[in-house]
Amino acid sequence: MSNGAWTDQENDLIVADYFAMLADDLSGRPYNKAGHRRGLLPLLNDRSEGSVEFKHQNISAVLKGLGEDWIPGYKPAFNFQMTLVDAVARWLALNPAWLGRHSGTGAPTGLAEARPIWIGPPPTLSNQPPPQELEQMLHIARNFDVAVRDERNRALGRAGEERVLAHERAALKSAGRDDLARKVRWVSEEDGDGAGYDIASFAPDGRPRLIEVKTTNGWERTPFHISRNEMAVAEERRSEWSLFRLWNFAREPKAFELHPPLNAHVSLTATSFQASFH
């Protein structure tokens, strides 16, 4: 059996096969992983079923770094070659509709029927992955600028905001505050994006909650983009403003909240500058 480096052609074949399984997995269609492996073997350079299985795990790790879904049955395996990252990037470039999708359990079929969102602790130094794994994930995220990609994916962003809107209304109703639930507003949809937050909600005691929603299909440590205006409003209205980070959106939405000052939770990096003439 060959144990040499995988060629670009082999990487392209196994990446395409992985995405075929992932599409079935996300849609709830049955598929056979062993059958997929056996179908690939004649197309590869004398690879074993074990090496194909491990490469599928490598692809899961690459997708994790890209802030995308992966197949739960293929636990991410790290120390992959960058040529595999390139192959995944090639597939995504040839299939742009994949990144534009937002379907799944994250998108509500009706605001009243939306299930509560699981809200957990934010990422911290104490719960971060091993250093080598984290560095590979962040390296991919930086190289492919996944924060800007998610920011430009308006379908994903809008679906995330709608889901959080439903969550806020449901939470207030559960607390016996139907009066406040009726007053929750989708500000970015009704007034536009200039407010510095997406949703105007309330705590059960009536205190205002100004919620900026950031959504990704991938894991909780996927970098995100935040605008200068959002930062300014966060500072001006610290007691009211919060960032609602929605992740794992296409499968089962989970979330955590960050409160100002944001630099207590995340590293803020300037990614663009305004150029003015002298």
Side-chain angles (χ1 to χ4, degrees):
M1 291 292 175
S2 174
N3 57 5
W6 285 57
T7 66
D8 286 346
Q9 182 181 16
E10 287 180 302
N11 281 332
D12 287 340
L13 286 167
I14 197 167
V15 165
D17 178 72
Y18 185 104
F19 273 103
M21 288 190 288
L22 180 55
D24 286 340
D25 192 85
L26 288 168
S27 300
R29 296 187 296 264
Y31 63 98
N32 187 299
K33 291 192 292 184
H36 274 267
R37 287 197 301 273
R38 288 192 294 269
L40 271 175
L41 289 176
L43 307 176
L44 305 175
N45 295 332
D46 200 25
R47 305 288 178 184
S48 68
E49 284 200 44
S51 68
V52 171
E53 172 121 3
F54 189 73
K55 187 64 73 170
H56 278 136
Q57 290 183 258
N58 288 152
I59 296 170
S60 290
V62 172
L63 289 172
K64 183 175 182 178
L66 288 170
E68 280 297 312
D69 301 300
W70 67 85
I71 298 171
Y74 285 126
K75 183 180 178 181
F78 299 90
N79 298 321
F80 46 79
Q81 295 179 322
M82 285 304 293
T83 53
L84 183 62
V85 182
D86 294 338
V88 172
R90 282 194 297 274
W91 190 93
L92 291 172
L94 291 171
N95 298 272
W98 182 268
L99 293 178
R101 81 202 188 287
H102 64 277
S103 58
T105 58
T109 55
L111 294 181
E113 294 80 20
R115 290 184 295 171
I117 299 172
W118 180 88
I119 301 178
T124 64
L125 288 174
S126 63
N127 63 18
Q128 72 179 12
Q132 187 177 25
E133 175 183 331
L134 180 61
E135 178 52 37
Q136 280 196 300
M137 298 300 93
L138 296 179
H139 177 73
I140 293 173
R142 287 192 300 267
N143 281 10
F144 290 89
D145 211 347
V146 298
V148 170
R149 178 207 66 197
D150 281 349
E151 184 69 16
R152 291 174 177 171
N153 188 344
R154 291 306 304 153
L156 176 65
R158 190 179 187 281
E161 291 172 18
E162 185 179 14
R163 186 65 182 80
V164 175
L165 180 74
H167 170 83
E168 287 294 305
R169 288 174 174 167
L172 287 167
K173 288 178 180 179
S174 295
R177 296 306 307 264
D178 290 46
D179 57 327
L180 294 178
R182 289 191 293 269
K183 296 179 182 179
V184 175
R185 293 184 63 238
W186 190 354
V187 175
S188 60
E189 180 75 5
E190 297 174 24
D191 302 338
D193 288 328
Y197 55 93
D198 298 311
I199 294 168
S201 185
F202 302 91
D205 63 6
R207 287 178 295 113
R209 274 170 51 80
L210 309 179
I211 303 170
E212 175 62 31
V213 182
K214 302 293 182 182
T215 307
T216 187
N217 281 323
W219 70 321
E220 67 270 29
R221 289 181 179 269
T222 303
F224 58 87
H225 182 270
I226 185 166
S227 72
R228 182 186 297 272
N229 184 48
E230 291 159 0
M231 287 286 295
V233 175
E235 286 299 306
E236 292 168 6
R237 305 183 70 174
R238 283 191 176 195
S239 64
E240 302 167 34
W241 193 95
S242 67
L243 190 146
F244 199 102
R245 181 58 166 145
L246 195 58
W247 56 281
N248 198 39
F249 185 70
R251 292 187 183 273
E252 185 177 358
K254 300 179 181 181
F256 57 85
E257 289 194 62
L258 301 179
H259 300 275
L262 289 179
N263 57 10
H265 309 281
V266 296
S267 298
L268 297 168
T269 304
T271 58
S272 63
F273 298 88
Q274 177 176 304
S276 301
F277 290 103
H278 298 300

